[in-house]
Amino acid sequence: MIKRDLYLTQIRPFIRTDLIKVIIGIRRSGKSTLMKQIMEELRDEGIKNNQIIYLNFEDYRIREYKDKDKLYDYLESNVLSDLKTYVFLDEIQEVENFEQVVNSLHATKDVDIYLTGSNSKMLSGEYATLLTGRYKSFKVFPFSYKELVEYHQKKSKKEIFKEFIKYGGFPVIQGFDTEDQKRSILMDLYDSIVIKDIVKRHNISGVDALDKYISYLLNTVSSTFSAKNIINYFKNEGRVISKETLYNYIGHAKEVLLIYSAQRYDLKGKKLLTTNEKYFVNDQGLRATRFNNENDIEKILENIVFFELLRRGYEVTIGNIGDKEIDFIAVRNMQKIYIQVTYLMETLKTREREFGSLNLIKDQYPKYVLSLDEVDFSQQGIQHKNIIDFLLE
């Protein structure tokens, strides 16, 4: 397994600080491995095994510690009195009211606490209130293309990219070679997210309706969202779905980190809009359980770039200027970049469309067009980059 240096670099400055480290990511994105890599680095620095406590709440053998009182008793009795203890709690959202345990431990013991979770709401509500200013969160995603190149050193970059398009970057599928094996694992992962994390958590009775709606979202990834269009689509399919149910399903899918949304920003009016946002799927491998990603290459490329920007720490919105669309407006540390994504720019019409939208923006922030072309089409101060080269930066 490769080192997740992108995330380790973010976390290292906070090791041994009083801040609780909270690592959030979709199931099977590599959070447990990242935790173990932090533990390995601590051991390399001389931390003894008895200073480290690790519990994975998906391990059936420790099911009794899903009870918060039993968990506290276990931790309290194993925390050392004379040395700092490093506490790693994996998939902590499986413990109801875990925040009470963590808060008490943090307040009364000499501990360095690390949590992982696959639920976006674990940092909301009571937990956020109890620990305001006392935690630092980190978002973790499945392997990026750059990480896959490091993992599959015997394969060519183009071959790896083709597989990345088709199957995504979940670490769990990387040791398997056949299409059937990869799709089977991805199907099981999809089912565990939808059935276990959504249906069971929210007591949803219409599993088939939920599955069909999520399939619709996966099919229309990177497209402008319209509740009216979705309701009409299901109506034509002989199904009735209310707007309330629709938005509940969206909330559930966001909660388990299956989808992310990007709001639309009006560059002329300089304001965020409340409509016409876009949705993106955390990893295109999950979409491959329902659809052929290669047939929708333009959507998939846009999805890949969106999550690459999130990995790099950008806040991302989509934009419009007049009747033209800007694929991404990405902001990090007060610096902004604009990005257009397309498959190929072999025709003049395509080049005029992609560069034309960016030419309407009059500020001096960097502007990029990304495509799979190997010819440089840069013009008028707008840089053109090959997507593969961009992902390897």
Side-chain angles (χ1 to χ4, degrees):
M1 181 60 68
I2 64 170
K3 276 227 169 189
R4 309 290 313 262
D5 282 323
L6 174 66
Y7 307 110
L8 288 168
T9 300
Q10 297 172 27
I11 294 169
R12 284 186 190 114
F14 298 93
I15 293 176
R16 296 186 181 86
T17 69
D18 192 45
L19 292 174
I20 296 168
K21 276 64 72 176
V22 184
I23 300 166
I24 300 175
I26 195 169
R27 285 191 182 276
R28 308 309 295 272
S29 57
K31 302 186 298 297
S32 298
T33 297
L34 179 60
M35 259 194 171
K36 290 173 182 176
Q37 290 178 354
I38 298 169
M39 291 158 58
E40 183 181 322
E41 291 195 357
L42 288 171
R43 292 188 182 100
D44 289 343
E45 294 170 6
I47 299 301
K48 299 173 183 177
N49 283 331
N50 67 338
Q51 289 179 259
I52 297 174
I53 298 173
Y54 173 74
L55 293 173
N56 183 343
F57 293 100
E58 290 193 321
D59 186 340
Y60 185 72
R61 293 170 297 180
I62 65 162
R63 59 192 179 280
E64 65 179 298
Y65 298 131
K66 289 185 179 181
D67 178 279
K68 71 178 190 302
D69 294 325
K70 291 182 179 179
L71 173 61
Y72 181 80
D73 290 343
Y74 174 83
L75 294 174
E76 201 270 342
S77 62
N78 282 277
V79 167
L80 302 179
S81 58
D82 55 341
L83 289 172
K84 182 181 288 291
T85 304
Y86 298 81
V87 179
F88 295 83
L89 305 177
D90 204 353
E91 296 293 354
I92 187 64
Q93 81 279 343
E94 297 292 329
V95 180
E96 189 173 354
N97 296 320
F98 71 88
E99 60 273 7
Q100 297 172 12
V101 175
V102 171
N103 187 53
S104 178
L105 201 68
H106 178 262
T108 61
K109 303 293 182 182
D110 184 14
V111 290
D112 190 11
I113 301 175
Y114 301 78
L115 312 175
T116 75
S118 52
N119 189 303
S120 66
K121 289 190 174 180
M122 65 178 288
L123 287 181
S124 62
E126 184 179 357
Y127 185 63
T129 302
L130 281 171
L131 292 177
T132 299
R134 284 179 280 177
Y135 69 85
K136 170 64 178 171
S137 64
F138 305 89
K139 292 179 182 177
V140 173
F141 299 95
F143 282 157
S144 66
Y145 172 67
K146 187 175 183 179
E147 288 178 308
L148 289 176
V149 169
E150 182 182 351
Y151 188 99
H152 297 287
Q153 294 186 9
K154 294 182 180 180
K155 294 182 179 181
S156 71
K157 292 177 182 177
K158 286 188 176 181
E159 181 184 2
I160 296 169
F161 189 71
K162 184 176 181 179
E163 292 184 357
F164 186 45
I165 292 287
K166 290 176 69 175
Y167 307 117
F170 277 103
V172 67
I173 69 168
Q174 301 310 319
F176 297 88
D177 296 320
T178 72
E179 182 169 337
D180 286 346
Q181 290 170 334
K182 291 182 179 182
R183 288 192 184 281
S184 175
I185 294 167
L186 289 169
M187 280 294 301
D188 289 344
L189 179 56
Y190 174 88
D191 287 344
S192 72
I193 292 170
V194 174
I195 304 301
K196 180 179 179 180
D197 291 346
I198 296 181
V199 174
K200 288 187 177 180
R201 186 180 300 275
H202 297 284
N203 298 313
I204 294 173
S205 56
V207 178
D208 183 57
L210 173 67
D211 181 57
K212 286 190 176 297
Y213 172 65
I214 290 180
S215 291
Y216 180 94
L217 271 186
L218 296 180
N219 187 32
T220 57
V221 67
S222 308
S223 301
T224 301
F225 174 81
S226 167
K228 182 179 179 181
N229 288 347
I230 295 173
I231 290 170
N232 288 338
Y233 169 82
F234 278 99
K235 185 177 180 180
N236 292 335
E237 293 286 311
R239 293 175 174 271
V240 177
I241 182 171
S242 68
K243 186 175 286 190
E244 180 184 5
T245 299
L246 178 65
Y247 281 106
N248 283 338
Y249 286 170
I250 291 173
H252 300 335
K254 282 184 174 182
E255 183 181 324
V256 299
L257 308 171
L258 175 62
I259 62 169
Y260 282 64
S261 63
Q263 287 185 276
R264 185 174 294 275
Y265 184 79
D266 180 3
L267 285 157
K268 281 191 173 180
K270 296 184 178 180
K271 61 181 180 180
L272 282 172
L273 304 178
T274 57
T275 59
N276 296 327
E277 61 188 348
K278 285 187 177 183
Y279 288 99
F280 301 89
V281 60
N282 199 311
D283 184 277
Q284 62 273 11
L286 293 171
R287 187 182 187 274
T289 62
R290 298 291 191 276
F291 307 100
N292 186 319
N293 287 341
E294 292 175 297
N295 290 345
D296 297 308
I297 185 70
E298 193 105 20
K299 294 179 182 179
I300 301 307
L301 292 176
E302 195 170 328
N303 197 82
I304 287 171
V305 171
F306 174 77
F307 281 100
E308 182 63 26
L309 291 169
L310 293 187
R311 284 186 182 94
R312 296 181 186 185
Y314 286 98
E315 296 290 330
V316 184
T317 56
I318 56 176
N320 67 266
I321 182 164
D323 61 350
K324 304 294 184 182
E325 181 169 289
I326 308 299
D327 287 336
F328 298 118
I329 305 168
V331 180
R332 182 182 65 188
N333 299 329
M334 305 300 290
Q335 295 299 309
K336 185 185 300 182
I337 59 174
Y338 301 99
I339 292 178
Q340 292 288 84
V341 182
T342 192
Y343 175 34
L344 294 171
M345 294 196 295
E346 296 169 333
T347 68
L348 177 61
K349 182 179 180 181
T350 303
R351 294 196 293 275
E352 287 177 344
R353 182 187 70 226
E354 301 301 333
F355 285 94
S357 296
L358 293 175
N359 274 320
L360 294 173
I361 304 171
K362 300 307 179 183
D363 64 37
Q364 300 304 307
Y365 290 111
K367 304 172 182 70
Y368 302 94
V369 177
L370 307 180
S371 75
L372 287 178
D373 297 282
E374 296 185 1
V375 176
D376 187 351
F377 290 112
S378 298
Q379 58 179 262
Q380 297 177 291
I382 300 172
Q383 295 184 55
H384 169 239
K385 290 187 176 184
N386 179 274
I387 289 177
I388 292 177
D389 293 338
F390 169 77
L391 295 174
L392 290 173
E393 288 175 352

